[in-house]
Amino acid sequence: LNTFTGFSIPAPRKQSNEDEDYRSWTAGQREMIISAFQHSNKWNHYTDVITFLFLTGLRHGEMMALTWDDLSEDCREISVDESYSSNYKVLKGTKNRKKRKFITAENSRLHQLLIKLKETREEGIPYLFPTKAGKRITSGIISQIWNGGIYEQSPGKPRVRYDGIVRTLLNDGYLPFYLPPYSTRHTFATLALQSGLDVALVAKLMGDEIDTILKHYLHKSSDDVAC
């Protein structure tokens, strides 16, 4: 089934970051990253959220704000109304201050993921993608599982560096370069365009304007994406 079939989101005004790296992963690299999360003893809890980010292109703050109230009964419609700021620990409006509906095709990969989440939901936890402790996911957690961090050791002992999933894949030679967590959004855009999805629809799906999509994604070839 086509992941990008059956979506509908109104397009907002343009807001882009000129310094952002808009490269993306290939479909194969995306699946490698998802599989590595799935088979990780340490980080497999976060497989669903990484898959969701790759399949929707949602801004990470928008994902962090999602609760079960934002998901329709049939798991086909997601209300994207807010964004969560990890720095200030507050909910705010979306980047463009516009609410939108993200509608997925019935029985698509994303739809099946959302159904599974609903079936395995833990009572009393409001977040669509909670941490292992049932708390809200933050950008710091996404950075840790993706890139890595430093273990705090007891006094007198050195701190120990650990690698996240993508950093480990890079170090082991499975990925040709490193891209930050926000590449989930850029990968969605690039693969959607490569699949033949209309530029205007991709803009609606991402909550961006057509000019932004044309500038940052449409010109990219498969070679640009893979290197």
Side-chain angles (χ1 to χ4, degrees):
L1 292 174
N2 191 336
T3 299
F4 305 110
T5 302
F7 296 99
S8 177
I9 304 174
R13 60 187 172 82
K14 178 180 179 181
Q15 282 188 321
S16 62
N17 183 347
E18 295 297 333
D19 296 326
E20 193 167 357
D21 187 343
Y22 286 87
R23 290 180 299 167
S24 76
W25 306 109
T26 64
Q29 290 164 349
R30 178 193 67 185
E31 296 307 313
M32 181 189 300
I33 292 169
I34 291 172
S35 179
F37 271 99
Q38 185 177 13
H39 292 92
S40 169
N41 292 330
K42 185 176 181 63
W43 304 125
N44 62 356
H45 172 81
Y46 298 99
T47 304
D48 289 340
V49 68
I50 294 299
T51 304
F52 177 83
L53 289 170
F54 271 126
L55 295 183
T56 63
L58 258 65
R59 298 179 178 92
H60 291 191
E62 294 171 345
M63 174 277 295
M64 296 169 197
L66 291 177
T67 68
W68 287 103
D69 290 338
D70 297 314
L71 185 64
S72 65
E73 187 66 25
D74 63 1
C75 298
R76 288 196 56 202
E77 184 176 295
I78 304 168
S79 298
V80 184
D81 300 338
E82 294 180 304
S83 181
Y84 180 74
S85 171
S86 296
N87 291 335
Y88 298 101
K89 299 181 180 179
V90 296
L91 288 169
K92 56 183 182 178
T94 60
K95 184 175 181 180
N96 48 59
R97 298 180 179 86
K98 290 186 178 181
K99 299 179 180 181
R100 66 186 191 269
K101 299 290 186 181
F102 194 107
I103 302 174
T104 183
E106 187 172 5
N107 293 324
S108 65
R109 184 178 181 183
L110 176 58
H111 186 212
Q112 292 171 0
L113 170 62
L114 294 172
I115 290 173
K116 185 193 78 170
L117 290 175
K118 184 177 180 180
E119 291 174 345
T120 59
R121 175 187 177 185
E122 293 187 38
E123 192 67 30
I125 298 178
Y127 311 114
L128 221 60
F129 299 100
T131 65
K132 290 181 180 180
K135 305 298 183 181
R136 188 193 302 275
I137 287 181
T138 65
S139 57
I141 291 173
I142 296 295
S143 178
Q144 288 174 9
I145 66 178
W146 186 275
N147 183 40
I150 297 176
Y151 286 119
E152 295 290 343
Q153 300 285 53
S154 57
K157 292 185 178 180
R159 296 191 298 175
V160 178
R161 169 82 194 187
Y162 65 90
D163 290 322
I165 292 295
V166 173
R167 184 65 66 179
T168 297
L169 289 173
L170 175 68
N171 292 342
D172 290 346
Y174 292 106
L175 293 174
F177 53 81
Y178 175 81
L179 290 178
Y182 213 64
S183 61
T184 55
R185 180 169 170 82
H186 307 323
T187 298
F188 172 84
T190 301
L191 294 181
L193 291 170
Q194 289 179 355
S195 76
L197 209 61
D198 183 73
V199 175
L201 181 54
V202 174
K204 291 179 181 180
L205 294 174
M206 297 188 66
D208 262 325
E209 285 211 15
I210 293 175
D211 287 349
T212 302
I213 303 302
L214 291 173
K215 178 178 179 181
H216 295 297
Y217 303 110
L218 190 61
H219 66 283
K220 291 183 178 295
S221 68
S222 58
D223 289 336
D224 292 329
V225 173
C227 63

